[in-house]
Structure formats: structure tokens, C-alpha cells
Amino acid sequence: MFENTTKYDQATLYAFTDVYSRTVRRTRYRLHRAVLLIAGGICTVEGLFLLLVWRPRDFSSMVLLGVVLVVGPCGVFKGLFLRRFMARRTRKNMLHVGECHYVFTEDGFQAEQPGVSSTYRYDRIYRACEAPGYFVLFLDKEHGTVVDMGGFTQGTADGFRAFLEEKTGKPVEYVSLK
């Protein structure tokens, strides 16, 4: 019915991460980012304040000061670039392949990578999302796959959207990416 080949490049991983952080794990992502930015900011300000004001310094106070001045900016940095860190972790957790070939049939779909073949039923799809240029199919809150709209070798993206809604019994949610 439908065949697709998706290349897992940087843009694909960013799209997956963005859809993931805006749908399935929206609250967790926002909370994670807020904690990193707030805790990092507080540690940085506190460390700078202690560095300027606190005069009697023994070894333990210097260690505490050093830890606070290292952890604070690292937290702020990770909070600012959390999206990139998530995309990097996604790439690290994936098999080291550059592309995946999908075959969508009436009963389910098959994902083929060099040396690995996985078959899934449509009732296993937890949530289906559409982003500019990609379909993202979540199997649960932690696992998903990306299908490139431009990678269809058989069928079209519009036909696939209707097919997916019919097979899953759920609407394909549109997610805009910034």
C-alpha cells in the first residue's frame, strides 16, 4: 500500500524531538527545562555572591564555592540547549544507521534497517502526529518513529494521513514547529 524511506539526519531528529517535547512529554519537558534554568541561575548568582562577599575561606568553603560555580552555569547551559541535548541522546539511542525503509500494509507496518526488521500492528500506535515534512508515530510515551513525507516511493503523504487515521481509529494531530 505505502512504502517510505526515511533518512535519519539532524533535521529528522530535531523534528522528532520537537514533536515529542510538544505532545507526549510536554509537561515533563517544560518542567525539566524550568528546573535547569532556575536552579542553574540560582547556583550561579549564589556562587558569584559568595565569591565576592565571603572572605574567610577554608578548604570546604572553597570546594562548595567551586561546585556551585561549575554546576550553576552548566545547568543554565543545558536548560538553554535542552532540545539539542535531547536530539543528541535520541541519536545515541538509535541504531547506527542512516535510513529506515517502511512498508505499510493492511495488517501493520514493517520497519527495515540494515540487519534489523521490526513489525508493528496499527493498534499499537499510541499517538500519531504530523509536523511540517514528517509523520511521527509514537508506540508509547518513550518510543516512536519518524516517517519523512518526501520519502514515499509508493503512495502519497495525503493518502497516508487518511490511511493512518482509518487504521488507528485516531486523528493525526498536527504539530507546528518553530
Side-chain angles (χ1 to χ4, degrees), residues 17-173:
T17 302
D18 288 345
V19 171
Y20 176 79
S21 64
R22 290 181 186 175
T23 57
V24 178
R25 291 294 187 158
R26 183 179 189 160
T27 304
R28 183 177 177 187
Y29 172 78
R30 287 181 175 179
L31 183 64
H32 190 177
R33 188 168 186 196
V35 166
L36 284 171
L37 289 171
I38 291 169
I42 289 171
C43 284
T44 302
V45 170
E46 180 181 324
L48 292 173
F49 178 74
L50 290 176
L51 184 65
L52 295 174
V53 175
W54 200 8
R55 291 295 172 216
R57 296 188 186 114
D58 57 351
F59 180 73
S60 62
S61 63
M62 291 298 288
V63 169
L64 176 67
L65 186 61
V67 168
V68 168
L69 285 174
V70 169
V71 170
C74 288
V76 171
F77 182 77
K78 187 167 183 184
L80 291 173
F81 298 104
L82 185 58
R83 174 180 171 247
R84 290 183 185 202
F85 283 107
M86 287 174 63
R88 185 175 183 192
R89 186 176 59 214
T90 300
R91 184 168 196 71
K92 186 178 180 182
N93 290 340
M94 291 176 53
L95 296 173
H96 298 287
V97 295
E99 65 183 31
C100 184
H101 181 73
Y102 297 98
V103 177
F104 296 90
T105 63
E106 290 292 328
D107 301 328
F109 68 97
Q110 185 173 10
E112 298 173 356
Q113 299 171 342
V116 178
S117 180
S118 303
T119 304
Y120 304 96
R121 294 186 328 257
Y122 293 113
D123 63 351
R124 179 133 190 261
I125 295 176
Y126 168 73
R127 193 173 195 171
C129 299
E130 178 185 349
Y134 301 97
F135 288 105
V136 180
L137 308 176
F138 290 104
L139 303 175
D140 56 31
K141 287 190 175 186
E142 297 294 327
H143 303 93
T145 188
V146 181
V147 178
D148 186 6
M149 285 184 183
F152 282 99
T153 56
Q154 183 178 358
T156 64
D158 292 331
F160 180 69
R161 182 184 312 103
F163 174 79
L164 196 58
E165 287 177 346
E166 176 189 332
K167 291 299 177 184
T168 62
K170 302 171 187 173
V172 175
E173 178 184 350

Side-chain angles (χ1 to χ4, degrees), residues 6-19 83 87 91 131-134 136 146 148 177:
T6 300
K7 294 184 187 335
Y8 288 113
D9 56 2
Q10 188 175 10
T12 305
L13 294 176
Y14 279 149
F16 177 77
T17 302
D18 288 345
V19 171
R83 174 180 171 247
R91 184 168 196 71
Y134 301 97
V136 180
V146 181
D148 186 6
L177 303 179

